[in-house]
Structures are given as C-alpha cells and as structure tokens.
Amino acid sequence: MKWTGLNDLRESYLKFFESKGCLRHKSFPLVPQNDNSLLLINAGMAPLKPYFTGQDVPPRVRMTTCQKCIRTGDIENVGKTARHGTFFEMLGNFSFGDYFKEEAITWAWEYVTKVLEIPQDRLYVSVYQDDDEAEKIWHEKVGLPMDRIVRMGKEDNFWEAGIDGPCGPCSEIYYDRGEEYGCGKPDCKVGCDCDRYMEFWNLVFTQFERHEDGTYTPLKQKNIDTGMGLERLAALMQGVDSIFDVDTVKAIRDHVCKIAGCEYGKDKKKDVSVRVITDHIRSVTFMASDGVLPSNEGRGYVMRRLLRRAVRHGKLLGINGLFLKDLVKTVVDNSKSEYTELEEKYDYIVKLLSNEEQNFNNTIDRGMNILNGYIEKMTAEGKKVLDGESCFSLSDTYGFPIDLTREILEEKGLSCDEDGFKKALEIQKETARNARGGSKYMGADETVFHKIDKAFTTEFVGYDTLECDAEISFIASDDELLENAGCGDKVYIVSDKTPFYAESGGQVGDIGYITTSTGKCRVTDTKKAVAGKIAHTAEVIEGAIEKGQKAHFEVDGENRRKIMRNHSCAHLLQSALRKVLGEHVHQAGQFVDSARLRFDFAHFSAVAPEELAKIEKIVNQYILAAMPVSMVEMPIDEARKLGAMALFGEKYGERVRVVTMGDASIEFCGGTHVDNTSKIGLFKIVSENSVAAGVRRIEAVTGSGVLELMNEQHKTLSAVADIFKVGNQAELVNKCHAAADEIKALEKEKDRLLGEIASMKSASLIDSAAEVKGVKVIKAVLTSIALDVLRKMAEDIKEKVPNSVVVIASVNGASGNIASACGSEAVAKGAHAGKIVGKVAALTGGKGGGRPDNAMAGIGDSSKAEDAIAQAENIVAEFIK
C-alpha cells in the first residue's frame, strides 16, 4: 500500500468516479441553502438533499463530490483525543435513480483495491442483517470470502433520517490494522469496540420509504449515497494513528508547535491545546471563506466558540499576541489546490479572524479575572457548582462561551449550573432562537409547489423582454392547487415561461399584470418556488382566470428600470469600496428594489466621512464614463479565470452568468442590469452604519431617487430657515452656530442656578441632621426635584460635612429617584452609599447602587418613599463600625 498525500487522495477519488460517468462537482459552501434543519453542512449528502427528495432535478443522475463539513457535537472532546475534530472533508459518490447496489459495491472495491492498492486480505465488510442482495454481490461478484462479510443489525447498518421518509440498508468497508491494535479477545472481529478494525467507507442503499406507522415500502427511485472521510482515509494510507498526523493537518500542527515553542508528543496537556488549535483554525478559516461571521447566535456562534476556544488554548501554551493570522496561511497553502476560494479571500479571512481574536483578547483577561474571583469565592464557601446567572454574565458581558467556562471549571475540579445558564439565556434569546421555523423531511419546508411535477420548470425570458405570452400552467392557494380563481382572490400563478424576475440575490421580484381573455391579475411579487418553478403572487382584479388559459404577462417597466439602476450601481459600489477600503471588502448581503439599494459588506471599522466622499465620487465617475455593461453566460471555471467575483456562500451551477461593467466590475450575477452605466444617472449615499460585528451597511439612491432626496433635503432646509427666520439658506450655518453658542451659555447659567438652589436646600437639610453612631444622617423626601439637582445636593452636603451620610428622595407622581452620598469620614467608618441606597430603594420596590461615596436608585412605588426614607437611620446603623 503506497503512501499517498491527502490532496492526491482527493483527486484520485474524484477522477475515478468521473471515469464512471459521475459529474464532478466542487464542494458546496458550508452554509446550507434553503435548509432549515442545519446550521452548517455536516455530511457529503447534505447539500444534495433536494435531489434525493425529488424537490429539485440534479444536473446529472450520477455525481461525485468532496464536501467540506463541520460537526460540533463532540466539541468538548476535540483535543482530548487524537481522533475527534470539527472540520473534515467527505468523499462521496451518488446516484439519483440511476446505478444501484452492484455498481456501488463493485466500484468501491475497484477503487480500494486497484487504485489505492490496499491489500485485499486486510479488508472486511459489513452488511445489514436482512440484506441478502448486498451479501451476494460482495461474495459472488467481488469474490470476498464469506468469513470476511459480517451481518449487523439496524443500529449499525441501516440508515434512516426520521420517523418517515427514504431510508435503506448500508454496507461498510473496514481495514484490519493488525493484532497490535486489538483487544486480545478470542471473539475480536468487525464491530468490536477496540481499534483493530477501522471503518472507512459507508455505502448507503436508499431503497425504502418508511411510514409513520413503522412500515416500509419499496421506493420507485432507488438512490446511492456513499461517504468516506478523507482525513481518515489519509491516515490509513499514510500508516498513522491520528488525523493530526496526516500530512496536511500535521503541517498546521507543526506550525502551532513552532509558534508555541513546544514539541508535540512530549507533554499530554500541551498536546491537547495543540490539537484544539489545529482543528479549530481549519474550521474557522473555511467558515470565514464561506461568509460566516462570528456572532452570538446560529452558525456565527459556532464560529465564535471555535475561535475563542483556540485563542484560549493559545494562552495556555504561552502564546502572546495575535497568532491565528499566521496559521491561516498554512491552512490555505495546504488546501488551496481544491478550495481556490481560500486563496482568493485570504486577506479578508486574515482581517476577520484577527479582528475577532483582538476583540476576544480585549475581554478575556477581564473575564478570567471575574471567573477567578468566582472560583476563589466558591472555594472559600466550599461550593462545587458555579450558578447559572454567573455563567450567563461571563458569556453575555465578557464573551466567554459556556463551554469555555465549563472547561476552565473542570480543570479546577468544579462544574457549572448549565440549566440555570440556559434559563438566563432563554430570557434574552427566545425571539432569536425561534426565528428559524420548523421543517419537513430532511429540512425542506413543504409547500403547495411540491405537488407540481418536479420535471416542470419555468423559463425566464425577462433579460431581453418585459412581456410575453404564456400558459397559466398552475394556480394555487397557500394550501392547494386550484382550477380557477375569481375577482378578489389572491393566488399564486405558475407558467411555463415568464418575463417576471423572481426575487434572488438581493433583488426583489418584479410586479406587473397578467391578462387573459376572461380576467386580469395584478402581480405584487415574484418568487422562486421549488425545482425551477417561478411563482407570481397575484390578485385577480377583473373577471376570472383558469388553469390552462393563454395569458399575456407584462412587467411594470418603470419599476423594473429603477431596480436595474440600483442593482447595477451595487456592483459599482462594491468596486469602489474595494478601491478605497481594501481588497478584503466582500459583499455580505444586498437588497435592491425600486426605491434604494442597501449594500452590506465585510469591513472592521466605521467608514470615515472622507472615505465615503471618495467612494461616492468614484461610483459617479463610473456612471459618467458611460461604460457598456455586458451579461454573458459561461462555464464557471472560465468565469473564475476571468477574475469574476462570486458571492460568499452562494450555490452556483456548472454555468454562470457574468456581468461586466467596463473595467470597473466583473461579477457572477443572475440579476437584471442596465446596458450602460450612464443609464444609472446619479448615485448618492444616504447612510453608513454597522449591522453586525465586522459588517457595515451603506444605503444609497440612484437616478430619480437622487432628485427626490435632494428635493426632500431642500424642503427640510427651507423649514429650518423659516424657523430661524433666515431668507438666504447660505446664512443658515452661521445662524445655527450662533444658536448653539446661545444654548451653551444658557446651559452654563442653568448649571450655576441649579448649584445655588442645591446649596440653599442643602443648608436647610444639614441643620436637621440626626446622629447615628457618631455619623450625621441627613434624609429628606422632596417633590419634583430634577435628577441632576438631587445628585448635586447630595454631593454638596457630603463635601461640606465629611462625617455625613445623605439619603434624599425626589418624588414625581408615581415614580422618583433617591440620591445617596457619604463623606470621606463616614466611608472610613463603614458607610457605603451604593449599598445603603440599594436597601432604601428596595423598600419601595425599586433598586439601584453605586460607589461607596456616590450612588443613585430608582423608586418603585412613590407612595412608599416616606416610609423608606424614614428607615434610613436604621439602615445606616447596620454599616457603621
């Protein structure tokens, strides 16, 4: 068996199955497309589910892929063992109703024994206990002796995704690593828990439909789904025991050791940290390349967990400063031959990970101090479990994921109240967590359009025309297909062709009219339905319509032209952003309709006013240059060679549409565009702000939208000029400056008067002070005193009387505030304004706190204020030594 590098193994596998008529498809992005059941792609077949379920028509009935995957179910074990990891690549070959068991089995054997040259006497297989057909193929077609075919039960050799849906038996191929890896038991064989027999390829034969009552019926279309972990195969071919010893992964591992100044295999504790960093940097690099951004929910939270876990283990190894950026280069160098997007987005990935690492470094030390304080307190009190509220505070305030807190506590022999943490999280995150709706089998939302034959598709003809004649092939409500619809009915119309653009890539769907000989419909939206169908959301406004009728489809031309101006300008905007801010800028989201364009982009600081001005100028220069816009469909590889930019995480077919705007922009895009940049007219930025960590948003208008904006601004300026009684708007700035200076002077005078009022009131309160344990307690309930006056009074008294504790309330209707202040001598005797005001406020149902010398609180029930302030002397007495 010949030593083979991981990249060569991937290539040999894909080439082999290409030779068997399979379409070789690049890995799909890690972000699932139209699948609510997954946060991240976790298996080779996951992105192909629509082809298995019949929701979509595959580009070919035979396919092969090497799919990048992430699984985080065993994240706590990553690093602790030599086999757990979160990122891996899965080799697979698939059949959608084409070849079946015999081909899947014989081809797998051919690849393993002829291409990889794995010794046949080291190979074993398992089959499902009732699958006589598979056993027969292995024995009679392949020639495998019966003593190397093992039958196993449903738990091991039968695949099903839930209580209903396609399922079937599977057959697994095992490699015998030798007796030295075995348990020594006489009955040691395939299926034993020891490390001798390593399963490395699973062949799934999807041949049944499972029903909710537990019965099975044969499928009309039988499918093949195979999966083989590339890293595991590489470990086998390279004769190593761990994925961390495989060539491409070892290169990263060695780089970690170099940065940390340690030698792998010498210290078990350090080895754990090295493995954690090695695995996690692979995951976050690939996630970043597919457009995932660190956040506090969903897949962004997965990324943040992994990245922060890696940073923390870097600290355990004694690594100081930012180090993840250095490792990114090694990840990219070892995987760029297959995943070209890693190299294309290298600068962006480095900026994103460095920014997140820096942010975490800014908080981790403070968080560690807080956690260490908790640990000291727990130790002193003999407690073993950190309460959920404290765990949540660490997560919410200091960026410590719960698993990081748990890990640190476990190292000290302690644990955390995860149920309490979940309850605290529930209060804050309920809405966000409920945002992802439910889903049907394999994550596909069931819609009325699934009832239409999957082979039926809608041809979009709207690039070249805004109207056409077509047949109304289907009419539907939300729940069922209809034969007709009458005036006032709101329905979906599906036709065999349409000029209406369906919402996609951030561009809204077209509006317009559909007219038949018997009725007329107003189209209010157009969306993509399942499997290449386009659905027009429509209301019948005249007469009635019927399924099968010929109809005239007409797009609202003025609305479409406004959308095109905004969409084309979004391309020019991205080009200008990259020129001014840097090549790391990539689109992170987009929305274009007839009124505006909204462009989200990856960038890690606010865009300065002078930068915005420069960006705006460049875009308008592109427009005024009257550059031709071309839209050409071509093979995706050819488009990449031209340098066309692709969107993060977008799913592309073998052919793509490339939009070129002079020498300013070249992008993959299926949207509609002007044919010359001059038709955009003008471009004006309306706003720029942050929408997420590392993501900025620019909103802008074009064409007539700029004129409308100018008119609105002119109206606003005119109104302000009228208020200031200025005839010439040019004088308005001077008038505003004068007004601002006047306001500042009045504010200064107000502060002086408030000081005098506070001083006068303070003097009268000092005269009525009571004495408690040698400290003067000054208390009062006042009415409708402004908050800043109340605070100033308390501070004024404590300065005049160092041996005083001040507790004064101001009641204003049903609410109010309490101010407390303690002079320096009172503080020395034990007085604490924050604690005192907290106790007083609690008697009213309010709360508050602050420093020993100054504090504020809110009153809960103002009717209880008098009684609460009356207790001030008793409360102060509790603190005085």
Side-chain angles (χ1 to χ4, degrees), residues 37-265:
S37 68
L38 294 174
L39 284 177
L40 294 158
I41 294 298
N42 61 1
M45 62 82 67
L48 306 175
K49 287 192 287 190
Y51 305 147
F52 283 114
T53 60
Q55 297 168 45
D56 214 341
V57 179
R60 199 180 296 175
V61 290
R62 298 180 181 186
M63 287 181 69
T64 183
T65 65
C66 182
Q67 177 64 44
K68 47 194 175 186
C69 305
I70 285 182
R71 290 181 187 171
T72 56
D74 286 331
I75 189 171
E76 283 80 13
N77 287 321
V78 175
K80 293 178 183 176
T81 73
R83 60 190 180 87
H84 282 94
T86 58
F87 177 85
F88 63 98
E89 299 177 59
M90 185 172 280
L91 299 165
N93 57 285
F94 311 94
S95 166
F96 312 108
D98 185 54
Y99 68 82
F100 198 50
K101 283 185 190 177
E102 183 170 331
E103 292 88 345
I105 290 172
T106 55
W107 292 347
W109 187 254
E110 182 184 349
Y111 178 71
V112 167
T113 60
K114 303 296 185 189
V115 178
L116 299 182
E117 299 179 358
I118 296 176
Q120 296 186 23
D121 60 359
R122 289 285 194 101
L123 295 171
Y124 291 77
V125 300
S126 65
V127 297
Y128 178 54
Q129 59 191 10
D130 298 332
D131 195 353
D132 296 336
E133 183 184 6
E135 183 185 77
K136 188 176 181 181
I137 295 169
W138 278 116
H139 181 57
E140 296 182 5
K141 297 288 183 181
V142 170
L144 200 62
M146 289 298 291
D147 62 358
R148 283 199 271 132
I149 303 173
V150 180
R151 289 193 183 231
M152 290 188 178
K154 201 169 188 179
E155 185 177 332
D156 296 300
N157 277 72
F158 196 93
W159 178 86
E160 49 193 352
I163 59 171
D164 63 350
C167 57
C170 53
S171 179
E172 297 176 315
I173 306 176
Y174 291 79
Y175 175 75
D176 181 2
R177 303 172 72 199
E179 290 184 12
E180 63 272 26
Y181 289 94
C183 56
K185 296 177 183 176
D187 60 345
C188 181
K189 60 180 181 181
V190 169
C192 183
D193 289 335
C194 70
D195 292 333
R196 177 171 177 176
Y197 298 96
M198 182 176 80
E199 180 268 315
F200 65 95
W201 200 349
N202 187 15
L203 318 177
V204 179
F205 314 125
T206 312
Q207 64 187 92
F208 298 114
E209 178 87 21
R210 179 187 164 114
H211 306 284
E212 290 189 22
D213 62 3
T215 60
Y216 298 84
T217 54
L219 279 172
K220 288 182 181 178
Q221 177 182 301
K222 297 175 180 178
N223 302 318
I224 289 294
D225 159 28
T226 84
M228 175 162 56
L230 178 57
E231 290 84 355
R232 181 175 287 198
L233 177 64
L236 187 159
M237 296 300 295
Q238 295 175 19
V240 295
D241 296 336
S242 162
I243 61 171
F244 294 96
D245 297 317
V246 168
D247 60 335
T248 56
V249 185
K250 181 178 178 292
I252 303 165
R253 187 199 81 190
D254 290 346
H255 194 171
V256 174
C257 290
K258 182 180 178 182
I259 293 172
C262 65
E263 187 178 346
Y264 189 71

Side-chain angles (χ1 to χ4, degrees), residues 485-592:
C487 192
D489 288 347
K490 294 180 179 179
V491 295
Y492 301 105
I493 295 172
V494 179
S495 55
D496 56 348
K497 65 179 177 177
T498 181
F500 285 75
Y501 182 82
E503 180 182 341
S504 181
Q507 178 178 329
V508 297
D510 280 331
I511 60 174
Y513 294 92
I514 298 174
T515 308
T516 72
S517 59
T518 59
K520 186 175 185 180
C521 304
R522 181 189 296 113
V523 177
T524 56
D525 198 3
T526 310
K527 292 186 182 295
K528 289 182 177 179
V530 67
K533 300 165 183 60
I534 292 176
H536 308 81
T537 304
E539 179 182 359
V540 183
I541 57 174
E542 293 177 17
I545 60 169
E546 292 182 5
K547 176 185 174 183
Q549 271 189 311
K550 292 291 182 185
H552 185 68
F553 289 67
E554 184 176 1
V555 174
D556 182 327
E558 182 55 31
N559 187 74
R560 165 75 85 83
R561 284 187 285 274
K562 287 179 178 179
I563 295 170
M564 291 195 302
R565 285 194 284 269
N566 285 333
H567 195 164
S568 296
C569 208
H571 285 226
L572 298 179
L573 174 58
Q574 177 164 231
S575 173
L577 285 165
R578 287 167 66 84
K579 270 191 175 183
V580 175
L581 303 180
E583 293 296 308
H584 66 277
V585 169
H586 282 276
Q587 180 178 322
Q590 176 180 274
F591 177 84
V592 289

Side-chain angles (χ1 to χ4, degrees), residues 641-659:
K641 287 175 185 175
L642 290 174
M645 284 187 66
L647 295 186
F648 271 133
E650 191 71 20
K651 178 179 174 182
Y652 293 104
E654 291 305 302
R655 292 186 67 79
V656 294
R657 193 163 174 267
V658 176
V659 177

Side-chain angles (χ1 to χ4, degrees), residues 118-404:
I118 296 176
Q120 296 186 23
D121 60 359
R122 289 285 194 101
L123 295 171
Y124 291 77
V125 300
S126 65
V127 297
Y128 178 54
Q129 59 191 10
D130 298 332
D131 195 353
D132 296 336
E133 183 184 6
E135 183 185 77
K136 188 176 181 181
I137 295 169
W138 278 116
H139 181 57
E140 296 182 5
K141 297 288 183 181
V142 170
L144 200 62
M146 289 298 291
D147 62 358
R148 283 199 271 132
I149 303 173
V150 180
R151 289 193 183 231
M152 290 188 178
K154 201 169 188 179
E155 185 177 332
D156 296 300
N157 277 72
F158 196 93
W159 178 86
E160 49 193 352
I163 59 171
D164 63 350
C167 57
C170 53
S171 179
E172 297 176 315
I173 306 176
Y174 291 79
Y175 175 75
D176 181 2
R177 303 172 72 199
E179 290 184 12
E180 63 272 26
Y181 289 94
C183 56
K185 296 177 183 176
D187 60 345
C188 181
K189 60 180 181 181
V190 169
C192 183
D193 289 335
C194 70
D195 292 333
R196 177 171 177 176
Y197 298 96
M198 182 176 80
E199 180 268 315
F200 65 95
W201 200 349
N202 187 15
L203 318 177
V204 179
F205 314 125
T206 312
Q207 64 187 92
F208 298 114
E209 178 87 21
R210 179 187 164 114
H211 306 284
E212 290 189 22
D213 62 3
T215 60
Y216 298 84
T217 54
L219 279 172
K220 288 182 181 178
Q221 177 182 301
K222 297 175 180 178
N223 302 318
I224 289 294
D225 159 28
T226 84
M228 175 162 56
L230 178 57
E231 290 84 355
R232 181 175 287 198
L233 177 64
L236 187 159
M237 296 300 295
Q238 295 175 19
V240 295
D241 296 336
S242 162
I243 61 171
F244 294 96
D245 297 317
V246 168
D247 60 335
T248 56
V249 185
K250 181 178 178 292
I252 303 165
R253 187 199 81 190
D254 290 346
H255 194 171
V256 174
C257 290
K258 182 180 178 182
I259 293 172
C262 65
E263 187 178 346
Y264 189 71
K266 296 292 185 182
D267 183 322
K268 287 185 178 180
K269 206 168 183 180
K270 287 185 176 181
D271 287 351
V272 169
S273 293
V274 170
R275 286 193 290 264
V276 167
I277 297 168
T278 300
D279 171 76
H280 290 4
I281 190 61
R282 294 180 81 210
S283 292
V284 297
T285 298
F286 275 90
M287 290 171 80
S289 76
D290 280 343
V292 180
L293 290 163
S295 70
N296 288 330
E297 60 186 41
R299 62 183 65 93
Y301 179 63
V302 173
M303 184 179 193
R304 178 161 281 171
R305 275 179 77 190
L306 295 173
L307 191 145
R308 292 185 168 184
R309 197 165 183 258
V311 172
R312 192 219 160 214
H313 278 276
K315 287 187 176 289
L316 291 179
L317 289 174
I319 301 174
N320 296 313
L322 304 183
F323 69 95
L324 295 183
K325 59 181 171 53
D326 299 321
L327 295 173
V328 170
K329 182 73 164 62
T330 307
V331 176
V332 172
D333 286 345
N334 280 277
S335 299
K336 65 185 180 183
S337 60
E338 178 66 17
Y339 304 107
T340 54
E341 63 272 17
L342 292 174
E343 192 166 40
E344 291 166 6
K345 296 164 185 171
Y346 173 75
D347 289 341
Y348 165 77
I349 296 168
V350 167
K351 279 185 178 289
L352 175 66
L353 299 190
S354 296
N355 188 65
E356 181 68 11
E357 185 179 4
Q358 182 63 62
N359 289 342
F360 188 43
N361 279 338
N362 292 341
T363 60
I364 192 171
D365 291 333
R366 280 186 294 151
M368 280 300 300
N369 289 335
I370 298 293
L371 182 53
N372 287 334
Y374 289 152
I375 291 170
E376 286 176 17
K377 187 178 178 184
M378 290 167 67
T379 304
E381 295 175 357
K383 292 181 179 178
K384 291 287 185 182
V385 182
L386 180 63
D387 65 275
E389 292 261 345
S390 297
C391 293
F392 179 72
S393 176
L394 281 165
S395 171
D396 193 45
T397 308
Y398 299 104
F400 267 57
I402 185 64
D403 59 309
L404 185 54

Side-chain angles (χ1 to χ4, degrees), residues 411-481:
E411 290 169 2
K412 308 284 186 183
L414 305 171
S415 62
C416 55
D417 175 13
E418 295 198 41
D419 289 336
F421 169 82
K422 288 173 184 173
K423 285 177 184 175
L425 187 65
E426 182 78 20
I427 295 168
Q428 190 187 63
K429 296 295 180 184
E430 186 174 358
T431 305
R433 277 205 323 276
N434 289 340
R436 270 201 306 151
S439 60
K440 298 290 184 182
Y441 165 65
M442 296 177 90
D445 289 333
E446 194 73 39
T447 69
V448 66
F449 305 109
H450 287 82
K451 297 177 182 179
I452 300 174
D453 182 356
K454 70 176 182 180
F456 178 90
T457 58
T458 306
E459 179 190 2
F460 174 62
V461 296
Y463 288 131
D464 303 314
T465 181
L466 294 180
E467 53 186 296
C468 77
D469 293 322
E471 181 182 286
I472 295 178
S473 304
F474 300 94
I475 304 171
S477 67
D478 285 329
D479 306 311
E480 59 182 337
L481 296 176

